[in-house]
Amino acid sequence: MSYREVWTIAEQCQGDIREVSYEILTRGRALADKLGVKLASVLIGYKVNKEKIEELIYRGADKVYLAEAQELENFIVENYGNVLIDLISQYKPEIIIAGATTSGRTLMPYVAVRVNAGLTADCTDLDIEEGTGNLLQTRPAIGGNILATIKTPNNRPQMATVRVKSTRPLPVDNKRTGEIIRINLKPGLIDGRVKRLGFRKTEEEAVNIQDADIIVAGGRGLKKKENFALIRDLAKRLGGVVGASRDAVDRGWISYPHQVGLSGKTVSPRLYIAVGISGSVQHLAGIKTAENIVAINIDPDAQIFKVSDFGIVGDLFDVVPAISERLSAIKGERNG
Amino acid sequence: MNIVIPIKQVPETSNVKMDEETGTMIREGVESIINPLDLYAIEVGIELKEEHGGKVTVITMGPQSAEKALREAIAMGCDDGILITGKEFKGSDTWATSFVLSSAIRKIGTYDLILAGERATDGDTGQVGPGIASFLNIPLSTYTSRIVEITDNTIIVERLIEDGYETLQMPLPCLLTVVKEISYPRLPTLRGKQKAKKVEIPVWSADDMDLDKSKIGLNGSPTRVVRISHPRIARGGTIVKATDEESLSRAIDKLINFLQEKNLI
């Protein structure tokens, strides 16, 4: 059997399907159409909401391979890896795409070495090469200073993880039909060596900066930990979350999950406000896909202004309170 | 407790300057350093050794000059280094690198724990750690933020995932890739530096490890780089000055307009 079909790896959490699963279907649909092959979503989990599974089809999938078992309720790479490897040997997809999430970036390399596949991390663009049908995978490298396009000429499948939030899900089309294929798990696929003992949600304010629409981030210009209150206040007014530069995190002003940049998280919000952040290359690489960037910095030569859509050169201790004040005035008008 | 830490030597890119004309990185004077994210793994390794005894071995695949990275790790407190080098390794992608490093770890033989950085700051893939665990068929925890408990044969760890921390228990030997939260890397000591200068670093070639040449270097790499381009990231937005009360007020007006136009408020 030759290698056909494009696959995307859906992610679920306690039976609910994560948004990224639909985002990557958008990528997969475009590739499958170019190749003239079927698009399948692979869903591994337990007791997944039936309507959400159908939504995979409404948002682009032709098929869903569904592997459910109690032991698959949570992501354990050994178990998920074994199931995926078994599916690959059975159905032979030519392309597999996963979100560049913590589980996607764990599962894909784990599987790729076993099935002798080429794997490219954190792609921002995927396309099909004319003539050969090879997958062209483009990703930033060396601190985001270059874009490398990579292909896998001889090995199949071709595997890639793609940045979260780098595409939007296709609209729901209730008329789309597809097949849900329930996989009977072969014995021995559940590894059993690793046990998940528990999970605790991050206690501080919401710090899932990767999923945020609005991020207000602070850097060295804040001068001390207490001044992050200014950032928190502005973020709250805008309905956003708090981010930080590496400098601010390294100084212990705020915890690592807030860190934006190459050594932290890559973010793609609709609005990114950089306050007192000069804009090192490693920071800029992390915000490149933000839709709108606003910078506030006292140094007119700060690199951050080069990538800004709107910049204010000024003292953040004047500017930020003035913005907050104006926002509450606007809100007052609306409510009044 | 015997610990193996695969590390990578990378260009010091965190403060890299860009050539504004060409959009390329200015490489002059760029130093080679231990991948900054590997330092956290090294620190954890040394701490575990201090508490439980045993030894920490750092290994790297790279050019002869990567020996410097191994000596730096030894200066921090690691015991031994192994350099895997040779032209046959050139062009290895993450598949081939995982294969070579896992083969080297097999050759080392007895180990309880493998620690790795989350990813390297140059390639930025984070694929080699999981790849090594997969080749060795040992349990894997990525994005490890804390070691809760470790005994002779099991470990309990926390992983930093999207919306919180997950606790996993697994038998040893296993492989952990670690995030910054897990430790504060120490600086090399004077005594460490002296030791690092003297220690003999074995050099392993593909033949020393009996490696199948079709699985290493460019031959063993499924992926090929077909094109490199230099993105321009300048957006050319509006920049306004806020130097006094009046200009501040105008700047805020413009900002609010901008945010309203874009439907952001």
Side-chain angles (χ1 to χ4, degrees):
Chain A
M1 194 165 109
S2 66
Y3 286 85
R4 282 179 81 81
E5 288 192 0
V6 173
W7 286 8
T8 61
I9 307 295
E11 283 188 31
Q12 57 86 34
C13 178
Q14 295 180 330
D16 197 12
I17 292 180
R18 287 178 185 270
E19 175 88 358
V20 65
S21 316
Y22 304 119
E23 290 170 23
I24 55 177
L25 278 173
T26 308
R27 302 275 192 174
R29 187 70 263 165
L31 300 173
D33 288 345
K34 274 197 181 173
L35 290 165
V37 300
K38 291 246 159 81
L39 172 64
S41 183
V42 176
L43 179 56
I44 303 172
Y46 183 55
K47 290 192 175 164
V48 184
N49 182 328
K50 186 101 196 324
E51 282 167 25
K52 296 284 182 168
I53 299 174
E54 276 162 7
E55 197 175 328
L56 292 166
I57 291 168
Y58 298 153
R59 292 190 191 268
D62 300 310
K63 291 183 187 179
V64 176
Y65 293 109
L66 179 62
E68 284 189 305
Q70 195 170 357
E71 298 90 337
L72 298 174
E73 183 173 7
N74 294 296
F75 176 75
I76 301 276
V77 64
E78 291 77 11
N79 300 340
Y80 276 48
N82 287 345
V83 171
L84 183 57
I85 290 164
D86 189 58
L87 284 175
I88 292 169
S89 67
Q90 203 175 334
Y91 295 100
K92 302 200 184 315
E94 59 181 310
I95 292 172
I96 307 176
I97 299 161
T101 58
T102 55
S103 35
R105 290 186 76 154
T106 304
L107 177 66
M108 295 289 267
Y110 191 87
V111 169
V113 303
R114 297 274 181 97
V115 299
N116 299 323
L119 170 62
T120 305
D122 223 9
C123 297
T124 50
D125 195 32
L126 296 175
D127 202 358
I128 299 294
E129 187 176 52
E130 298 242 351
T132 64
N134 285 324
L135 179 65
L136 294 173
Q137 303 149 104
T138 301
R139 68 183 298 267
I142 319 197
N145 291 304
I146 62 166
L147 280 176
T149 301
I150 292 160
K151 69 177 176 185
T152 302
N154 302 317
N155 298 48
R156 292 294 179 269
Q158 310 160 88
M159 298 172 69
T161 60
V162 299
R163 289 229 168 144
V164 176
K165 292 247 161 190
S166 61
T167 34
R168 290 182 201 275
L170 294 169
V172 167
D173 177 356
N174 292 325
K175 289 188 210 76
R176 279 189 57 84
T177 55
E179 205 183 343
I180 295 172
I181 300 156
R182 220 163 243 290
I183 303 298
N184 289 319
L185 290 182
K186 290 185 192 141
L189 293 181
I190 302 299
D191 184 291
R193 286 179 294 179
V194 179
K195 289 186 184 69
R196 186 183 196 259
L197 301 183
F199 175 75
R200 67 186 163 87
K201 257 180 123 59
T202 316
E203 285 160 20
E204 307 173 44
E205 72 258 52
V207 289
N208 192 352
I209 56 175
Q210 268 181 315
D211 286 345
D213 268 347
I214 295 180
I215 299 172
V216 184
R220 192 164 45 185
L222 284 169
K223 297 197 172 117
K224 56 181 183 184
K225 183 175 183 167
E226 290 69 32
N227 291 334
F228 254 94
L230 281 174
I231 304 296
R232 289 200 182 90
D233 177 63
L234 183 57
K236 204 173 158 197
R237 283 172 199 278
L238 290 164
V241 302
V242 175
S245 69
R246 186 169 78 177
D247 254 324
V249 172
D250 284 352
R251 280 158 206 260
W253 295 349
I254 190 162
S255 64
Y256 174 63
H258 294 269
Q259 187 174 323
V260 174
L262 226 45
S263 52
K265 298 216 172 67
T266 300
V267 296
S268 322
R270 288 182 56 226
L271 174 62
Y272 186 82
I273 304 186
V275 181
I277 295 175
S278 60
S280 66
V281 168
Q282 79 96 20
H283 189 82
L284 300 186
I287 60 172
K288 207 176 297 182
T289 50
E291 255 177 60
N292 296 287
I293 298 174
V294 171
I296 297 158
N297 205 292
I298 199 147
D299 174 11
D301 298 323
Q303 288 293 318
I304 191 80
F305 287 121
K306 297 224 160 65
V307 303
S308 298
D309 300 286
F310 191 92
I312 299 179
V313 181
D315 186 341
L316 72 92
F317 296 103
D318 296 330
V319 177
V320 175
I323 300 171
S324 291
E325 202 177 296
R326 190 70 63 90
L327 288 171
S328 60
I330 293 172
K331 204 177 168 199
E333 277 167 32
R334 277 183 198 157
N335 292 344
Chain B
M1 175 141 312
N2 289 324
I3 299 169
V4 181
I5 309 180
I7 64 172
K8 186 178 186 189
Q9 192 178 47
V10 301
E12 159 49 316
T13 50
S14 64
N15 297 310
V16 84
K17 297 266 184 298
M18 295 297 289
D19 182 329
E20 305 220 347
E21 295 294 305
T22 60
T24 55
M25 193 171 100
I26 299 171
R27 282 180 175 274
E28 272 164 42
V30 176
E31 224 190 314
S32 288
I33 55 169
I34 296 178
N35 167 37
L37 298 176
D38 291 347
L39 297 176
Y40 301 90
I42 293 170
E43 176 62 34
V44 172
I46 298 169
E47 283 172 14
L48 287 172
K49 177 188 75 169
E50 285 169 350
E51 198 175 327
H52 302 273
K55 68 170 186 171
V56 181
T57 305
V58 277
I59 65 173
T60 196
M61 180 181 85
Q64 187 66 46
S65 56
E67 188 193 304
K68 182 171 152 260
L70 296 173
R71 290 194 191 277
E72 281 168 19
I74 293 167
M76 283 174 73
C78 296
D79 299 278
D80 305 311
I82 297 166
L83 175 67
I84 301 155
T85 193
K87 60 178 190 316
E88 64 272 27
F89 297 115
K90 241 188 124 183
S92 294
D93 72 358
T94 60
W95 194 101
T97 305
S98 304
F99 176 72
V100 171
L101 291 173
S102 61
S103 305
I105 292 167
R106 266 205 196 96
K107 183 174 156 77
I108 291 170
T110 53
Y111 56 86
D112 301 294
L113 188 62
I114 302 171
L115 297 166
E118 183 201 330
R119 56 198 150 89
T121 54
D122 57 349
D124 200 30
T125 71
Q127 289 175 177
V128 173
I132 293 171
S134 189
F135 271 123
L136 293 174
N137 192 22
I138 57 173
L140 164 68
S141 165
T142 49
Y143 305 96
T144 310
S145 56
R146 192 160 79 96
I147 295 177
V148 182
E149 195 185 301
I150 184 164
T151 67
D152 285 346
N153 42 38
T154 54
I155 188 167
I156 299 176
V157 295
E158 270 189 1
R159 303 176 64 221
L160 174 60
I161 58 177
E162 278 74 8
D163 36 20
Y165 296 85
E166 179 182 68
T167 312
L168 296 182
Q169 180 183 46
M170 56 186 68
L172 299 179
C174 66
L175 187 148
L176 315 178
T177 74
V178 304
V179 293
K180 278 177 123 170
E181 259 182 58
I182 201 166
S183 63
Y184 293 97
R186 67 190 70 190
L187 294 169
T189 60
L190 196 61
R191 233 178 74 198
K193 281 183 188 168
Q194 281 164 346
K195 184 190 166 203
K197 231 181 266 174
K198 281 183 236 145
V199 74
E200 198 176 316
I201 297 203
V203 177
W204 288 0
S205 68
D207 286 338
D208 293 330
M209 290 187 281
D210 273 328
L211 294 182
D212 177 344
K213 299 270 166 60
S214 70
K215 291 185 174 175
I216 63 173
L218 206 55
N219 287 335
S221 298
T223 61
R224 291 282 180 277
V225 175
V226 287
R227 191 167 63 234
I228 296 283
S229 61
H230 300 280
R232 291 206 162 267
I233 52 173
R235 298 192 179 203
T238 313
I239 309 291
V240 296
K241 286 203 164 84
T243 45
D244 51 30
E245 221 162 280
E246 202 195 320
S247 57
L248 173 62
S249 174
R250 267 203 313 269
I252 304 294
D253 285 342
K254 284 189 181 155
L255 171 63
I256 298 293
N257 274 343
F258 170 83
L259 296 176
Q260 283 172 336
E261 263 170 38
K262 304 274 180 182
N263 278 325
L264 292 163
I265 51 172

